[in-house]
């Protein structure tokens, strides 16, 4: 290149992404427009992760973000025969002991196994000519505390890149290396959740096949802990996930699994589960604590990014994880397009808006459990009471239910729950003689 301004692509030929699960693949899609070559490093190519055996819902903002990054994804999922569920009409959500009222809106999303969703994302991303997945395990970062130059693999091989994205999941090798190599020590915030999952893939009976809904989710009001979800899969079978918390003894045998389903305490759910025949072994998972690495409060090498669980790993009951991967990838795309030099300036602030909303909402729900009683501030208690009443109103008022969905699905900020019309509805509900407010 002679004189004049340089084509940014010439300077920024390669990018490196650590991990090829949802976050890593979407990050690669986000970078593919900007970089000549995107290398994705992964030690366990195409192997299912332990959480993939459990129900994985995708929030509508996550689905929209995935489509922006991968316009062919919808078509691919249609070919995979995933089930499309209209949240307003076909997703039955029994929340705090009440059924929610339906609403008219095209809020629709793919319901399928985590494996098939990830497989479809992977196939789309690998069809991009400049994305390459390399088999290997990153165990060091190259460069300095000011700027990274790439990564080193456990076999000693080096991959250079003008930027490095840590998408290695909750264990976050990027954060570990930053600390061990003396580049940065990022503050973390965490709190115990102690959630337990137990899932079975089943052949459904007539009740599920003839139900007015396509998916059923029963989530209790604290201090009750047991919840359950019935989720359609692409092959016509269903995945049923039961969850408990704290000292709940999770089922060890299929018989115990059926009786745990009764403890969810919903007659329709129990009756549906009772008719199902197991197709696979039971799978279990224990989620101990929520964790948020607060990069927006620290100083990292200027071309380092973290995304997905490597940034924030939340109580999975609220189904936000993959959505945060997708929203993070959009923020990554916007940041590299804006900065032009791979610098992550502004990225962590941008992404922490969505992460912060998801974190605060789930934490408020987790803090309804008695062990939090003393640590819950008066403001948090007020918010819990208000949102509990919004949930109650959402069982009667379609507009309220739709608004609640928009907030939970991270389409609108939490402040949308405090719109004057909604506050009025909550106050009216509180004045009803039968209200528990
Ligand atoms: C039981 C359970 C249920 C869940 N349900 C939902 C749900 O309903 N909806 C939802 O949206 N989310 C759900 N989640 C959360 C969701 O699974 C995660 O948020 C999501 O998998 C995060 O994706 P990720 O790519 O950031 O990390 P991961 O999926 O953990 O992937 C990290 C990848 O990095 C690779 N890697 C690790 N170390 C290295 C290294 N040193 N070098 C290179 N690569 C490395 C790993 O092999 C892996 O492929 C659930 C989670 C659990 C545990």
């Amino acid at each position: 290149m002679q004189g004049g301004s340089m084509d940014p692509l010439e300077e920024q030929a390669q990018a490196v992404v650590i991990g090829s699960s949802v976050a890593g693949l979407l990050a690669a899609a986000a970078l593919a427009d900007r970089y000549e070559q995107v290398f994705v490093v992964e030690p366990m190519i195409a192997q299912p992760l332990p959480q993939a055996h459990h129900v994985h819902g995708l929030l509508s903002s996550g689905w929209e973000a995935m489509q922006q990054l991968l316009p062919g994804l919808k078509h691919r999922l249609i070919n995979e025969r995933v089930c499309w569920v209209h949240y307003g009409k076909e997703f039955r959500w029994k929340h705090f002991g009440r059924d929610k009222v339906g609403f008219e809106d095209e809020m629709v999303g793919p319901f399928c196994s985590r494996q098939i969703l990830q497989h479809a994302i992977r196939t789309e991303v690998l069809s991009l000519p400049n994305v390459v997945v390399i088999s290997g395990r990153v165990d060091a970062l190259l460069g300095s505390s000011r700027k990274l130059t790439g990564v080193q693999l456990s076999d000693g091989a080096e991959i250079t890149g003008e930027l490095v994205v840590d998408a290695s999941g909750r264990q976050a090798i990027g954060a570990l290396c930053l600390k061990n190599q003396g580049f940065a020590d990022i503050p973390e915030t965490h709190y115990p959740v102690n959630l337990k999952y137990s899932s079975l893939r089943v052949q459904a009976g007539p009740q599920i096949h003839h139900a007015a809904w396509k998916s059923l989710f029963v989530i209790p009001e604290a201090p009750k802990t047991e919840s359950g979800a019935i989720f359609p899969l692409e092959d016509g079978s269903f995945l049923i996930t039961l969850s408990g918390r704290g000292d709940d003894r999770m089922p060890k045998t299929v018989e115990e699994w059926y009786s745990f389903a009764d403890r969810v305490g919903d007659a329709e759910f129990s009756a549906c589960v009772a008719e199902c025949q197991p197709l696979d072994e039971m799978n279990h998972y224990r989620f101990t604590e929520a964790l948020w690495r607060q990069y927006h409060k620290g100083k990292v090498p200027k071309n380092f990014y973290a995304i997905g669980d490597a940034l924030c790993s939340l109580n999975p009951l609220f189904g936000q994880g993959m959505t945060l991967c997708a929203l993070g990838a959009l923020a990554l795309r916007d940041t590299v397009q804006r900065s032009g030099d791979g610098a992550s300036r502004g990225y962590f602030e941008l992404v922490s808006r969505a992460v912060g909303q998801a974190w605060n909402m789930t934490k408020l729900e987790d803090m309804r459990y008695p062990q939090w009683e003393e640590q819950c501030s008066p403001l948090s208690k007020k918010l819990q009471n208000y949102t509990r009443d919004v949930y109650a109103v959402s069982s009667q008022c379609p507009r309220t239910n739709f608004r609640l969905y928009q907030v939970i699905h991270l389409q609108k900020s939490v402040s949308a729950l405090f719109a004057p019309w909604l506050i009025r509805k909550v106050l009216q509900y509180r004045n009803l003689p039968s209200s528990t407010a």
Side-chain angles (χ1 to χ4, degrees):
M1 181 104 195
Q2 292 179 350
S5 65
M6 283 175 103
D7 176 350
L9 270 180
E10 268 186 41
E11 271 193 307
Q12 304 171 1
Q14 293 186 185
V16 184
V17 179
I18 310 173
S20 78
S21 179
V22 172
L25 291 167
L26 295 175
L31 295 169
D33 277 351
R34 189 80 203 175
Y35 287 86
E36 278 177 1
Q37 196 82 64
V38 181
F39 292 110
V40 183
V41 187
E42 170 63 55
M44 304 201 313
I45 294 177
Q47 283 180 39
L49 295 158
Q51 72 263 36
H53 300 292
H54 305 275
V55 157
H56 264 71
L58 179 59
L59 304 181
S60 55
S61 59
W63 173 230
E64 281 160 20
M66 284 184 189
Q67 289 179 93
Q68 282 190 50
L69 292 159
L70 298 169
L73 185 60
K74 183 173 182 181
H75 186 67
R76 200 167 285 281
L77 288 172
I78 290 171
N79 285 342
E80 297 287 356
R81 298 174 175 275
V82 310
C83 184
W84 298 93
V85 177
H86 278 86
Y87 278 99
K89 300 177 208 147
E90 298 168 331
F91 182 66
R92 187 157 199 179
W93 180 11
K94 300 191 182 185
H95 193 193
F96 285 25
R98 295 171 201 251
D99 212 346
K100 293 202 183 299
V101 68
F103 57 83
E104 289 295 328
D105 185 80
E106 287 311 298
M107 195 187 249
V108 64
F111 279 49
C112 55
S113 65
R114 161 76 192 248
Q115 288 98 312
I116 211 74
L117 179 61
Q118 190 156 325
H119 169 75
I121 295 172
R122 175 182 294 278
T123 314
E124 278 298 298
V125 172
L126 293 188
S127 72
L128 300 169
N130 55 341
V131 176
V132 180
V133 177
I134 294 176
S135 176
R137 181 177 293 279
V138 170
D139 71 1
L141 299 170
L142 301 171
S144 69
S145 58
R146 283 170 52 79
K147 190 176 179 201
L148 300 179
T149 54
V151 298
Q152 184 173 54
L153 309 192
S154 50
D155 64 4
E158 293 185 354
I159 305 173
T160 56
E162 280 76 11
L163 67 78
V164 174
V165 181
D166 183 12
S168 62
R170 194 181 158 96
Q171 301 310 321
I173 186 69
L176 200 66
C177 292
L178 285 178
K179 186 171 179 185
N180 291 346
Q181 296 178 236
F183 292 169
D185 194 357
I186 299 305
E188 290 178 359
T189 180
H190 31 89
Y191 71 91
V193 176
N194 212 356
L195 191 75
K196 302 160 180 182
Y197 271 36
S198 191
S199 298
L200 256 184
R201 191 171 74 86
V202 299
Q203 186 179 333
Q207 285 228 42
I208 292 182
H209 284 301
H210 298 137
W213 42 263
K214 291 184 179 167
S215 180
L216 174 64
F217 186 30
V218 185
I219 189 164
E221 180 167 9
K224 186 167 170 51
T225 47
E226 302 90 349
S227 70
I230 300 177
F231 207 79
L233 299 182
E234 55 283 357
D235 63 356
S237 66
F238 283 77
L239 186 60
I240 301 184
T241 289
L242 305 175
S243 71
R245 284 181 187 248
D247 295 333
D248 282 341
R249 193 174 163 275
M250 297 308 284
K252 290 203 169 68
T253 63
V254 173
E255 291 69 33
E256 286 178 7
W257 188 84
Y258 282 103
S259 44
F260 192 95
D262 289 336
R263 283 169 48 196
V264 171
D266 182 82
E268 184 182 23
F269 183 78
S270 293
C272 287
V273 173
E275 287 184 352
C276 292
Q277 297 299 322
L279 292 172
D280 294 331
E281 297 284 299
M282 237 188 304
N283 283 291
H284 305 283
Y285 196 99
R286 189 168 188 161
F287 182 90
T288 50
E289 60 168 19
L291 165 68
W292 183 5
R293 295 188 173 89
Q294 310 229 308
Y295 284 101
H296 59 292
K297 294 186 182 163
K299 193 168 180 312
V300 287
K302 65 182 242 180
N303 54 347
F304 174 86
Y305 292 77
I307 187 171
D309 279 14
L311 176 61
C312 181
S313 158
L314 289 157
N315 176 348
L317 202 56
F318 302 96
Q320 298 156 320
M322 298 188 298
T323 291
L324 291 180
C325 295
L327 296 176
L330 279 189
L332 171 65
R333 186 185 70 178
D334 294 348
T335 306
V336 293
Q337 275 171 6
R338 196 184 53 241
S339 72
D341 62 355
S344 59
R345 218 174 17 254
Y347 165 78
F348 288 111
E349 288 75 11
L350 191 61
V351 82
S352 69
R353 282 185 217 149
V355 169
Q357 170 157 341
W359 177 272
N360 290 334
M361 285 194 310
T362 52
K363 188 167 181 193
L364 196 69
E365 293 305 311
D366 286 329
M367 288 177 75
R368 291 185 193 273
Y369 285 88
Q371 63 271 32
W372 289 103
E373 182 66 29
E374 282 173 13
Q375 291 164 61
C376 204
S377 69
L379 176 62
S380 296
K381 284 186 182 152
K382 275 192 171 168
L383 286 171
Q384 285 171 340
N385 288 340
Y386 181 77
T387 48
R388 185 196 61 204
D389 293 342
V390 171
Y391 303 158
V393 178
S394 70
S395 68
Q396 306 154 1
C397 166
R399 187 180 179 198
T400 301
N401 195 23
F402 180 43
R403 176 56 60 91
L404 178 63
Y405 266 79
Q406 289 175 308
V407 172
I408 287 177
H409 282 238
L410 304 178
Q411 286 183 337
K412 281 191 184 285
S413 83
V414 170
S415 62
L417 290 182
F418 297 89
W421 65 265
L422 187 43
I423 293 176
R424 276 197 300 277
K425 289 220 172 270
V426 168
L427 294 177
Q428 276 165 13
Y429 164 76
R430 285 183 175 173
N431 289 329
L432 291 177
S434 59
S435 158
T436 55

